[in-house]
Amino acid sequence: MHPPKHIPLRRCASCASQAPKRDLLRIVRTPDGALLLDARGKAAGRGAYLCKKPACWDFALKKDRLARAVKAELAPAQRAALLQALRLHAVEVAA
Ligand SMILES: [Zn+2]
């Protein structure tokens, strides 16, 4: 007879759907303004969440939704680097 356990929900910065925090990827803005994939979800800094769906990453980066969510300006090279990190992470998780 326990009350249901509280599951923290977060909203994807791309498609705006809500999901449990651990089912989302966290992107964090570093002090120097770069955006990094925070694979462990523990890094300090302003963060945003994305679904684990490549379509969401592409959309978030193409439309600058991610940059807006963390109030950062993303240079094209940073955008490409982040997308690559997300893709690599997805491959690791799938392996
Ligand atoms: Zn999404």
Side-chain angles (χ1 to χ4, degrees), residues 12 14-17 50-51 53 56:
C12 170
S14 185
C15 67
S17 67
L50 287 175
C51 301
K53 287 184 293 192
C56 274

Side-chain angles (χ1 to χ4, degrees), residues 3-70:
K5 211 173 150 197
H6 177 71
I7 299 171
L9 293 176
R10 293 294 181 272
R11 198 176 288 277
C12 170
S14 185
C15 67
S17 67
Q18 279 195 326
K21 212 170 146 181
R22 64 189 149 97
D23 289 345
L24 295 170
L25 295 168
R26 186 168 188 261
I27 311 297
V28 71
R29 189 182 75 178
T30 64
D32 57 358
L35 289 187
L36 294 176
L37 171 64
D38 175 16
R40 288 165 63 222
K42 304 261 185 229
R46 194 183 174 88
Y49 292 86
L50 287 175
C51 301
K52 292 176 177 171
K53 287 184 293 192
C56 274
W57 315 336
D58 285 334
F59 187 74
L61 288 164
K62 224 178 279 168
K63 300 283 179 192
D64 266 342
R65 280 180 178 236
L66 191 60
R68 230 176 299 153
V70 295

